[in-house]
């Protein structure tokens, strides 16, 4: 349906109309000049058919609307979008060609008009054109269903439609809608951790602290003092000592967890929710799982980026913080920088001395290792989680590529060994139980008695 220059009304003649008019004119002129009535009779159907088709010309342009069932999606979850073509005119549209663009991370599996689905997984998806007719004063919906493959903000659209009327003799201009941004939240991998925390310094919570207070963990028996509750009186000890004694308990307090995302480098190729995971995939999914675990237990969680932008999400607790953290994670992207970002991240704002800092890093940049060492020397409780993919492909090029890759691996293993010597535990992310042993060691070191100064 290639059209010539479109008039101001938005409707233009097609090549079919031009051919009909040209053929009719040629036959009539030839019949008059040659005096042949048969040529005039032959031109009559073309003239009458064209006039009959143009007896009612459309005036209004088609209306196009792009809608999404839910703009808050989850990796691996269903996705649904609808492209609605409306005919506000009194003349029906013979053909409507609808086409829409989709992000490559939103896989369209079925496309259908009015509930009749067509499997398009192997035939171009939503990028192919779909043709339908639209009666006058009605609307036809193109339904797109599929799966969201990867976290992030992905565009649905723009969508466009072009219609033909008057038996294909007139074509409208293209009507295009703006794209819609769909939020695809990362799938939280199953994660659980032990109760151990280095220091629980909040007011209330689920962790046993070293401070006395109204908790459930017995700390000992002491002499009654003003302000003690009568239900805490230990009558056995009181009768034996002939003086009131009460049971002392440790307070239950919350902890602050800081999840630090190293975004200086990216490695690996993302294959979506069912394929291989890149560094950013592992980082974002692990951060979502850790935040969900500790926020559901009542702890305070903060998110930071170790990179040029140094984005920061303040510590808070509750479901609202969890939803805010998921929204914050959608904008994570790798960005290299020639400058040292340590001062930007930790300079003006100082981390709480009682916070547990979980650093998600691929350890591809030497500055990341230096940052971990500085945090450990500063007395922070740091746990480094290795997010480099285990199935990172080995270079197959000729020459020294494979030897250089092996040397790089050895250098990286040496860097990890040096970090452990500095007191920074480095573990690989493996979902539930990834941090159990490390958290026990960190909590044990935090509660160990320190040598005094003479």
């Amino acid at each position: 349906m290639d059209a010539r220059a479109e008039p101001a009304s938005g409707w233009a003649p097609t090549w079919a109309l031009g051919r009909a008019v040209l053929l009719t004119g040629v036959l009539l002129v030839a019949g008059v000049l040659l005096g042949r009535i048969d040529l005039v009779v032959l031109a009559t159907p073309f003239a009458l058919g064209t006039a009959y088709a143009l007896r009612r010309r459309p005036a209004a342009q088609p209306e196009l609307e792009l809608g999404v069932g839910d703009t808050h999606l989850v990796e691996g979850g269903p996705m649904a979008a609808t492209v609605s073509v409306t005919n506000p005119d009194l003349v029906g549209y013979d053909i409507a060609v609808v086409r829409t663009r989709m992000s490559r991370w939103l896989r369209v599996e079925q496309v259908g008009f009015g509930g009749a689905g067509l499997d398009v997984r192997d035939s171009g998806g939503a990028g192919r054109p779909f043709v339908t007719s639209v009666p006058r004063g009605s609307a036809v919906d193109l339904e797109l269903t599929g799966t969201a493959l990867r976290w992030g903000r992905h565009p649905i659209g723009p969508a466009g439609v072009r219609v033909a009327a008057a038996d294909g003799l007139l074509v409208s201009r293209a009507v295009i809608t703006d794209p819609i941004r769909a939020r695809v939240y990362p799938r939280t991998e199953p994660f659980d951790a032990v109760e151990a925390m280095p220091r629980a310094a909040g007011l209330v919570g689920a962790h046993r602290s070293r401070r006395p207070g109204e908790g459930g963990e017995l700390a000992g028996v002491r002499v009654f003092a003003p302000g003690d509750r009568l239900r805490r009186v230990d009558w056995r000890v009181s009768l034996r000592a002939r003086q009131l004694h009460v049971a002392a308990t440790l307070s239950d307090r919350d902890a602050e967890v800081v999840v630090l995302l190293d975004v200086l480098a990216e490695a690996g190729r993302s294959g979506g929710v069912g394929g291989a995971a890149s560094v950013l995939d592992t980082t974002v999914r692990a951060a979502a799982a850790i935040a969900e675990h500790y926020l559901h237990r009542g702890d305070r969680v903060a998110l930071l980026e170790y990179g040029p932008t140094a984005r920061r999400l303040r510590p808070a607790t509750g479901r609202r913080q969890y939803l805010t953290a998921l929204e914050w994670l959608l904008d994570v992207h790798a960005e290299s920088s020639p400058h040292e970002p340590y001062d930007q991240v930790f300079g003006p704002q100082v981390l709480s001395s009682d916070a547990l800092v979980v650093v998600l890093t691929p350890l591809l940049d030497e500055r990341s290792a230096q940052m971990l060492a500085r945090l450990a020397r500063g007395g922070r409780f740091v746990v480094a989680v290795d997010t480099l993919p285990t199935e990172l492909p080995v270079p197959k090029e000729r020459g020294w590529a494979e030897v250089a890759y092996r040397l790089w691996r050895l250098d990286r293993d040496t860097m990890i060994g040096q970090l452990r010597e500095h007191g920074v535990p480095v573990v690989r992310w493996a979902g539930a139980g990834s941090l159990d042993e490390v958290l026990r060691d960190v909590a044990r070191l935090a509660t160990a008695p320190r040598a005094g100064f003479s």
Side-chain angles (χ1 to χ4, degrees):
M1 296 190 301
D2 295 334
R4 298 174 183 176
E6 299 176 2
S9 63
W11 291 88
T14 64
W15 291 110
L17 177 59
R19 288 192 297 267
V21 173
L22 178 61
L23 182 59
T24 302
V26 170
L27 290 175
L28 290 176
V29 171
V32 172
L33 294 179
L34 299 177
R36 296 181 57 179
I37 191 64
D38 57 334
L39 295 179
V40 176
V41 174
L42 187 61
T44 302
F46 293 98
L48 293 178
T50 303
Y52 181 80
L54 294 177
R55 76 190 188 284
R56 297 183 65 185
R57 301 181 59 180
Q61 289 290 308
E63 298 176 357
L64 188 65
E65 183 179 358
L66 180 61
V68 181
D70 188 3
T71 56
H72 298 74
L73 309 175
V74 181
E75 281 185 315
M79 178 274 305
T82 303
V83 183
S84 180
V85 183
T86 304
N87 181 2
D89 212 314
L90 298 178
V91 179
Y93 297 151
D94 301 321
I95 295 177
V97 180
V98 184
R99 197 167 188 170
T100 181
R101 291 182 179 178
M102 301 286 287
S103 169
R104 69 188 185 98
W105 298 116
L106 300 176
R107 183 177 62 192
V108 177
E109 299 171 350
Q110 281 193 341
V111 178
F113 286 101
L118 172 66
D119 196 340
V120 294
R121 259 173 284 194
D122 301 325
S123 56
R128 59 181 292 187
F130 293 91
V131 180
T132 185
S133 60
V134 185
R136 61 180 183 178
S138 62
V140 176
D141 294 336
L142 174 64
E143 299 174 355
L144 311 172
T145 58
T147 306
L149 298 180
R150 189 174 186 260
W151 58 273
R153 304 181 190 272
H154 304 303
I156 299 178
V161 65
R162 205 168 190 183
V163 302
D167 293 338
L169 300 182
L170 296 177
V171 64
S172 71
R173 64 177 176 83
V175 179
I176 302 175
T177 64
D178 295 330
I180 299 177
R181 289 281 178 177
R183 302 182 182 96
V184 181
Y185 294 129
R187 183 180 64 177
T188 54
E189 300 179 357
F191 175 75
D192 195 7
V194 296
E195 296 283 339
M197 270 289 169
R199 289 177 185 168
L203 297 177
V204 293
H207 300 288
R208 185 185 66 189
S209 73
R210 295 175 296 166
R211 301 181 182 181
E214 295 295 329
E217 186 71 19
L218 184 64
V221 179
R222 59 176 175 81
V223 178
F224 181 86
D228 289 336
R229 298 185 179 183
L230 293 178
R231 63 185 180 90
R232 294 287 187 182
V233 174
D234 191 326
W235 295 107
R236 290 186 179 181
V237 178
S238 300
L239 291 174
R240 187 167 55 249
R242 298 191 178 187
Q243 187 179 6
L244 281 180
H245 283 70
V246 295
T249 57
L250 297 175
S251 61
D252 295 332
R253 297 172 179 260
D254 66 342
E256 180 177 339
V257 180
V258 178
V259 183
L260 179 60
L261 286 69
D262 182 2
V263 295
L264 290 179
E266 166 71 313
R269 179 173 296 180
S270 177
V273 68
S278 66
V279 167
L280 279 186
D281 288 342
T282 305
T283 299
V284 170
R285 292 166 187 165
I290 294 173
E292 180 185 28
H293 172 74
Y294 287 110
L295 285 173
H296 284 179
R297 293 174 56 185
D299 295 324
R300 288 168 289 118
V301 175
L303 297 175
L304 291 87
E305 274 188 1
Y306 184 68
T309 57
R311 294 193 308 132
R312 175 185 299 267
L313 179 65
R314 63 175 182 81
T317 187
R319 178 170 176 78
R320 182 177 180 181
Q321 177 72 356
Y322 175 60
L323 297 177
T324 305
L326 290 180
E327 192 78 18
W328 188 89
L329 288 172
L330 295 183
D331 297 320
V332 173
H333 64 279
E335 185 177 359
S336 60
S337 173
H339 306 290
E340 171 60 60
Y342 186 88
D343 294 335
Q344 300 179 16
V345 178
F346 305 105
Q349 300 89 358
V350 179
L351 292 176
S352 172
S353 59
D354 298 321
L356 171 65
V357 184
V358 180
V359 183
L360 302 170
T361 173
L363 291 174
L364 294 175
D365 196 309
E366 188 177 352
R367 292 172 293 180
S368 302
Q370 295 174 356
M371 175 265 296
L372 290 168
R374 291 184 190 179
L375 290 176
R377 287 197 299 266
R380 310 295 179 188
F381 303 106
V382 185
V383 176
V385 179
D386 187 2
T387 58
L388 189 69
T390 55
E391 62 277 3
L392 200 65
V394 180
K396 300 297 183 182
E397 301 177 2
R398 296 181 178 178
W400 299 96
E402 185 174 355
V403 176
Y405 176 80
R406 292 172 60 187
L407 289 175
W408 169 77
R409 276 288 189 182
L410 291 174
D411 182 65
R412 186 173 181 273
D413 293 341
T414 303
M415 181 192 305
I416 293 176
Q418 292 175 349
L419 286 174
R420 288 169 176 163
E421 291 178 358
H422 280 80
V424 180
V426 181
V427 296
R428 181 170 294 279
W429 176 254
S434 299
L435 309 180
D436 282 356
E437 185 176 352
V438 174
L439 289 178
R440 289 192 188 97
D441 294 341
V442 173
R444 187 161 48 248
L445 290 175
T447 56
R450 300 183 179 181
F453 294 94
S454 58

